[in-house]
Amino acid sequence: MRNAPTILHLDMDAFFASAEQASKPSLRGKAVVVGGLGPRGVVATASYEARVFGVHSAMPMAQARRLAPNAAYLVPRGGFYKSISEQVMGLLHALSPLVEPLSLDEAFVDLEAGEAAWDEASARLAGARLRADIRAVTGLTGSVGLAASKMLAKIASEQAKPDGLVVIEPGTERALLGPMPVRTLPGVGPATGDHLRRAGISTVDELAEAGEAELVRLLGKAHGHALYAMALAHDERPVVSARETKSVSVEDTYDVDIHDRVRVGTEVQRLADRCVRRLRGAGLSGRTIVLKVRRYDFSTLTRSETLRGPTDDPGVVREAAARLLEAVDTTGGVRLLGVGVSGLADFTQEDLFAQAAGELAALEPVEEAEHEGGERQEVEQPVDRHWTTGHDVRHADFGHGWVQGSGLGRVTVRFETPESEQPGRVRTFRTDDPALEPADPLPLVTLAPRRPGGPDEEESSDQASSVPASLPKSWSGKGGGGATSRP
């Protein structure tokens, strides 16, 4: 372990919900819950105002509605969150070449590798400036933990929430960890935590006192060794800049159980096509096709088939998924289906001519119907004007807004932008109103360009520069992360 707190862990505060509040002035300071809104939806993120009522991520949405009936419930805007995440990750890469993203809103950074920090003072400065840059570029807040290891840096960021910075100084780790519950340590979930509690171990101190041999007896060799090392604050894991993708998969949860076997088969085919699109988008292929089925009683089955070589052929993936489905009993109903591909490679060994022949039909299926004369013709489908709660729209007369709700042929829209000083006005339209169209999200922060020359250039740079304050004006992309110089 290092002798300086130069491992940084960033965790954006209630990321999805905070992004929605920043985007929608009428929701600022109010309870906001983001997730699936169907009967079987789950909470993706809850704002801190919603957490006061006991709402938290991974909670069933129905339970969240009972706890906080007056909260705003929104469907996630994945592309919007990804664009903000890319801005944040850009700031992290400016600090160091070693950035290990864990999700859209969380990452480790090795500050020493980028010469952004080398001791406690420089690390603290880099962390403070990163938080300021994130606020300046995105309008959102992030919590930063700094320590000599990844485990401790993550624990520090949890202590810093919300919108704070915590540094764990080398030499203080054992005293800090000792009284904490064992669930604080990575890899200790509810089951392991209960098992340890029944053995009389509730805190990290008690974990260390139990000894390595006892933990191996209780948890097995690998887990016991690892947990004992963490209890002693030992964590030698490096920050890894690139993680190898092990699989590509898609899945859907259905509001109502599917009992029709033909419908189940159709859904599996559709999921196989989606999986291939994602596979090809990543420039990958794979050998093992995986089918996941969660039945009416919550039992989950997975079946897999390994091919002779990697493929990204949609026809091959569909056929394999269909064969796997034949071995699964879906009589009682299905609540979730998924299709995945693992054993990934960046090349294929399938027949290229067969792949090309099946590509268009597989990825762009056309609805067809049989007519009286036996001739098959394309059927033109009506446009479905579906308005998703929380998503962006634009009206020809009223401008940009977002959907508050829809139903019974009507859609309610609140017209406001991230820069609105007051909550916007609400209006209701027919769902087929030609003046109303889906729209792209607006940026949360509009960065004003610097004015070249003049006596006020420095002030303009500090207040509204397109380059964050923590980067020198001559910054060329090397991760300096601060104006201080190393002694």
Side-chain angles (χ1 to χ4, degrees):
M1 197 161 65
R2 306 174 184 219
N3 57 6
T6 54
I7 300 295
L8 180 148
H9 181 260
L10 170 71
D11 197 349
M12 299 294 289
D13 299 321
F15 181 45
F16 295 174
S18 294
E20 296 296 349
Q21 289 175 318
S23 175
K24 303 171 172 64
S26 58
L27 299 183
R28 292 171 189 169
K30 297 183 179 178
V32 175
V33 181
V34 180
L37 302 189
R40 291 176 177 166
V42 298
V43 175
T45 309
S47 70
Y48 286 99
E49 294 85 355
R51 295 181 191 187
V52 171
F53 299 99
V55 180
H56 57 77
S57 60
M59 171 183 286
M61 191 61 78
Q63 182 182 356
R65 288 185 183 276
R66 290 193 295 271
L67 293 172
N70 296 320
Y73 289 86
L74 308 175
V75 176
R77 295 185 290 167
F80 177 52
Y81 308 144
K82 184 178 180 181
S83 68
I84 300 172
S85 175
E86 288 171 350
Q87 291 178 302
V88 173
M89 295 301 164
L91 294 173
L92 299 183
H93 281 286
L95 288 172
S96 172
L98 287 183
V99 176
E100 182 179 339
L102 303 179
S103 62
L104 288 177
D105 60 341
E106 185 180 2
F108 287 110
V109 183
D110 187 331
L111 296 176
E112 190 172 16
E115 299 184 357
W118 49 91
D119 58 14
E120 182 189 343
S122 57
R124 189 183 294 272
L125 180 60
R129 288 183 169 175
L130 173 64
R131 292 178 57 236
D133 288 346
I134 290 173
R135 186 186 290 273
V137 171
T138 70
L140 304 179
T141 63
S143 295
V144 168
L146 290 155
S149 70
K150 290 167 67 172
M151 177 186 75
L152 292 166
K154 182 171 177 61
I155 290 173
S157 70
E158 287 295 322
Q159 291 186 322
K161 282 187 167 293
D163 191 21
L165 183 152
V166 168
V167 179
I168 298 178
E169 300 177 20
T172 67
E173 299 94 347
R174 290 288 304 277
L176 175 76
L177 283 176
M180 291 184 173
V182 292
R183 290 287 304 276
T184 303
L185 300 179
V188 182
T192 301
D194 288 343
H195 189 52
L196 290 170
R197 181 178 50 79
R198 288 194 295 270
I201 301 172
S202 299
T203 68
V204 176
D205 263 344
E206 292 170 346
L207 202 62
E209 291 169 2
E212 188 172 16
E214 176 65 7
L215 294 180
V216 167
R217 187 187 69 80
L218 288 170
L219 305 172
K221 187 173 182 180
H223 201 181
H225 282 310
L227 207 54
Y228 182 69
M230 288 189 288
L232 299 180
H234 295 165
D235 180 18
E236 301 295 337
R237 295 173 301 159
V239 175
V240 181
S241 60
R243 287 173 171 265
E244 181 181 358
T245 301
K246 296 183 179 180
S247 65
V248 173
S249 63
V250 296
E251 62 182 42
D252 277 343
T253 300
Y254 304 99
D255 292 344
V256 179
D257 290 348
I258 302 175
H259 292 84
D260 183 356
R261 183 74 177 185
V262 174
R263 167 83 189 284
V264 172
T266 301
E267 289 295 311
V268 168
Q269 299 293 288
R270 183 179 61 81
L271 289 166
D273 290 344
R274 279 176 53 196
C275 184
V276 169
R277 282 195 287 268
R278 183 172 294 184
L279 194 70
R280 290 184 170 183
L284 298 169
S285 60
R287 292 187 61 199
T288 302
I289 314 304
V290 181
L291 175 70
K292 178 179 177 181
V293 179
R294 181 167 297 151
R295 299 187 292 190
Y296 69 99
D297 58 357
F298 287 90
S299 62
T300 302
L301 304 176
T302 57
R303 299 288 184 268
S304 64
E305 176 180 321
T306 299
L307 308 174
R308 67 180 183 275
T311 184
D312 66 352
D313 185 336
V316 172
V317 175
R318 285 208 318 268
E319 290 173 7
R323 286 194 297 271
L324 294 170
L325 179 61
E326 290 175 1
V328 178
D329 180 11
T330 61
T331 305
V334 171
R335 60 186 293 118
L336 178 148
L337 290 168
V339 174
V341 177
S342 61
L344 301 182
D346 56 2
F347 62 93
T348 64
Q349 295 178 350
E350 295 297 325
D351 184 341
L352 297 180
F353 293 99
Q355 177 175 314
E359 181 173 342
L360 288 177
L363 295 184
E364 299 294 339
V366 178
E367 295 287 341
E368 297 181 330
E370 192 80 35
H371 286 257
E372 289 183 0
E375 181 181 359
R376 300 181 70 85
Q377 300 179 354
E378 293 187 9
V379 177
E380 187 173 331
Q381 298 294 324
V383 177
D384 182 16
R385 301 279 286 182
H386 177 70
W387 304 103
T388 304
T389 304
H391 284 217
D392 298 81
V393 294
R394 186 168 188 84
H395 193 275
D397 297 326
F398 302 108
H400 191 92
W402 59 278
V403 176
Q404 281 200 325
S406 63
L408 301 177
R410 295 287 186 269
V411 54
T412 301
V413 178
R414 185 181 289 274
F415 291 98
E416 59 186 1
T417 71
E419 296 182 346
S420 300
E421 295 183 0
Q422 300 293 332
R425 298 187 64 182
V426 176
R427 294 182 180 274
T428 299
F429 308 92
R430 298 193 318 273
T431 54
D432 60 353
D433 190 326
L436 190 66
E437 295 290 342
D440 292 329
L442 297 177
L444 298 182
V445 174
T446 302
L447 296 176
R450 288 174 54 189
R451 291 172 288 178
D456 57 353
E457 180 178 356
E458 193 70 34
E459 179 182 356
S460 172
S461 172
D462 290 341
Q463 293 182 358
S465 170
S466 59
V467 178
S470 71
L471 301 179
K473 295 176 184 177
S474 60
W475 178 66
S476 61
K478 182 178 180 182
T484 60
S485 59
R486 185 169 183 170

